[in-house]
Amino acid sequence: MYSSNQLALARLRKDLSDLASNPPITSSSATTVSASHDDPTTDSASLDVTMKVLQGAYKGGTFEFRMTVPKLYPFKPPTVQAMAPIYHPNVELATGRVALQVLGQGWRPVLSVGGVILCLEMMFLEPSVE
């Protein structure tokens, strides 16, 4: 029998493979993703996401995020945190936590890391306070 952590890491590997072969195609940003940290104390994995915004109000900005993938992924959503303060309605200034519906009640197991990255890209084009 597989542990939830093994299943989460297998799914994460698949998501990263899919992302490498079919990156989200938008003209709004240039994004790089790197697997950065496996934390054995929390059974989670982290990805570093760097996004250079090419359009909109944040054009020219480069933003770094840490996406933490929980051991119950894909049944629980990842969390995303900005690594530096961003003045944006979807980013909590004090903590850097990204607040998107897809990272909370809107999460479904069919969603992927690539989908979350696409939502991050869209966040800079269409900020939302919901």
Side-chain angles (χ1 to χ4, degrees):
M1 194 62 148
Y2 294 103
S3 72
S4 60
N5 192 39
Q6 289 171 320
L7 293 173
L9 290 176
R11 170 63 189 272
L12 180 58
R13 277 189 219 100
K14 179 191 178 306
D15 284 0
L16 291 175
S17 174
D18 291 348
L19 190 61
S21 60
N22 288 321
I25 299 173
T26 67
S27 58
S28 64
S29 68
T31 304
T32 59
V33 178
S34 61
S36 60
H37 312 283
D38 289 329
D39 187 348
T41 62
T42 63
D43 289 329
S44 66
S46 295
L47 305 173
D48 288 334
V49 178
T50 302
M51 190 170 297
K52 181 173 170 101
V53 180
L54 304 175
Q55 292 182 15
Y58 293 87
K59 180 179 180 178
T62 300
F63 304 97
E64 295 180 356
F65 299 93
R66 170 131 326 126
M67 183 184 306
T68 303
V69 181
K71 68 179 179 177
L72 293 176
Y73 180 78
F75 303 104
K76 297 287 183 188
T79 58
V80 180
Q81 182 175 5
M83 301 311 293
I86 301 174
Y87 296 100
H88 190 285
N90 296 103
V91 180
E92 292 181 9
L93 192 56
T95 65
R97 186 181 77 82
V98 175
L100 292 171
Q101 192 167 14
V102 73
L103 296 174
Q105 292 179 339
W107 179 257
R108 300 292 178 264
V110 298
L111 297 173
S112 66
V113 166
V116 172
I117 290 170
L118 184 58
C119 288
L120 284 174
E121 291 175 349
M122 296 307 296
M123 173 180 91
F124 287 105
L125 284 179
E126 299 176 16
S128 172
V129 292
E130 293 181 28

